[in-house]
Amino acid sequence: MAEIVDVAPELAAKIDRLYSAALKDDKTIVRLGTKLQKEPLSASEIRTLSERLGRHASDALREVLTPEALPDGRVYWNIAERTIKPMLEKVYATENAVQTASQLLLDKKNGINIAISKGIDPTDRINEVLNFAVNSTTGEQISNALNDPVKTTALDFLDDFKKANAEIRNGLGFKQTVVREYDGVGLANGRRPCNWCIGRAGTWTYQEAIDHGVFERHTGCGCTIEVISSDEVTNEEYTATEDIPF
């Protein structure tokens, strides 16, 4: 009986090497990392970093997880959990670290002392990508499952962090304004507009944004979602120097 070889560790190691090398070679990511040592990143810079992390993760996964490298040419669940999942968890952790560091620097500048929350638990979003890959039966389907879904998930991590911290600040009385801009790409390769996204575009209060699903995005969505937080509390219940226990 032929020995069954566990390919997951080798595949995971290859993915990690490719991803790490891509980050080191990405001059934009290196520049933003250097800037963050001294000053906060702008919303557009953080968005750029998120897009690049998602693209590098997608590229590494698609290069390694090919039918030729996979048993029976399939991404079985046990393989997906040990290759795709840790890659996406790494993207999530990096995005949270970057946004936390940037927000702390910005808060310090504005004399605000608020605990920073991690983004919403990423398990459901990660499992959605895993399901796409596991249910793929051809090389093209696997590649597609690891393309836009991975890139969109990286942006979802970004939005989830904004949403979690906007909730905290809104509760403390800091006015939160959510601005969503339609990417203009639309559906069917641009042949028709995406009414789903258009209906969520605009300027909203935090509660309006929650009620209308403004923080959500579909696979391939490139809309820009920004949260503008006032640096002045709008009620008298919060003291800026107070540690808030979350």
Side-chain angles (χ1 to χ4, degrees):
M1 183 176 179
E3 180 182 359
I4 299 176
V5 179
D6 183 5
V7 300
E10 181 180 355
L11 295 176
K14 287 181 179 179
I15 291 166
D16 192 63
R17 284 197 300 271
L18 286 172
Y19 178 73
S20 297
L23 296 193
K24 290 179 181 178
D25 291 340
D26 190 317
K27 294 181 180 179
T28 298
I29 288 180
V30 172
R31 176 178 60 81
L32 293 177
T34 300
K35 177 181 178 180
L36 186 57
Q37 313 241 343
K38 299 179 180 179
E39 58 183 298
L41 302 183
S42 67
S44 62
E45 287 174 327
I46 293 175
R47 159 86 182 211
T48 295
L49 189 142
S50 175
E51 289 175 335
R52 287 177 174 269
L53 292 176
R55 186 171 75 241
H56 292 317
S58 173
D59 289 346
L61 288 166
R62 287 189 293 138
E63 182 169 338
V64 175
L65 298 180
T66 63
E68 296 75 21
L70 296 164
D72 305 322
R74 299 287 299 274
V75 182
Y76 290 108
W77 187 264
N78 69 316
I79 292 176
E81 278 197 312
R82 292 186 289 161
T83 56
I84 303 171
K85 182 179 179 180
M87 180 77 274
L88 291 177
E89 287 176 336
K90 182 170 288 190
V91 173
Y92 171 84
T94 300
E95 290 196 29
N96 272 270
V98 167
Q99 291 191 94
T100 296
S102 189
Q103 189 64 57
L104 285 171
L105 286 169
L106 186 60
D107 285 351
K108 182 177 181 180
K109 178 181 178 181
N110 291 325
I112 298 172
N113 182 23
I114 301 176
I116 309 296
S117 173
K118 288 185 177 180
I120 298 164
D121 187 294
T123 301
D124 288 343
R125 296 200 184 281
I126 291 174
N127 283 343
E128 187 174 355
V129 178
L130 267 59
N131 278 312
F132 280 138
V134 170
N135 290 323
S136 299
T137 58
T138 68
E140 182 179 6
Q141 289 177 350
I142 293 171
S143 181
N144 289 339
L146 299 174
N147 191 12
D148 281 347
V150 170
K151 296 173 183 176
T152 301
T153 298
L155 290 176
D156 284 330
F157 294 157
L158 183 73
D159 301 334
D160 288 344
F161 180 95
K162 295 176 184 176
K163 182 179 179 181
N165 286 280
E167 179 180 10
I168 292 173
R169 289 165 191 253
N170 183 70
L172 292 172
F174 290 86
K175 181 181 178 182
Q176 305 296 292
T177 302
V178 183
V179 181
R180 178 169 178 146
E181 295 184 8
Y182 177 49
D183 64 1
V185 174
L187 304 172
N189 295 321
R191 292 192 295 274
R192 56 190 176 89
C194 178
N195 291 325
W196 189 90
C197 285
I198 291 173
R200 288 161 173 76
T203 301
W204 313 82
T205 66
Y206 170 76
Q207 191 56 53
E208 288 174 340
I210 296 300
D211 293 342
H212 290 82
V214 175
F215 285 99
E216 298 303 318
R217 61 175 75 241
H218 58 78
T219 299
C221 172
C223 291
T224 299
I225 305 169
E226 299 299 344
V227 176
I228 302 171
S229 180
S230 68
D231 59 5
E232 293 184 358
V233 69
T234 56
N235 63 40
E236 298 179 355
E237 297 178 0
Y238 173 69
T239 303
T241 58
E242 177 186 356
D243 286 325
I244 307 299
F246 292 113

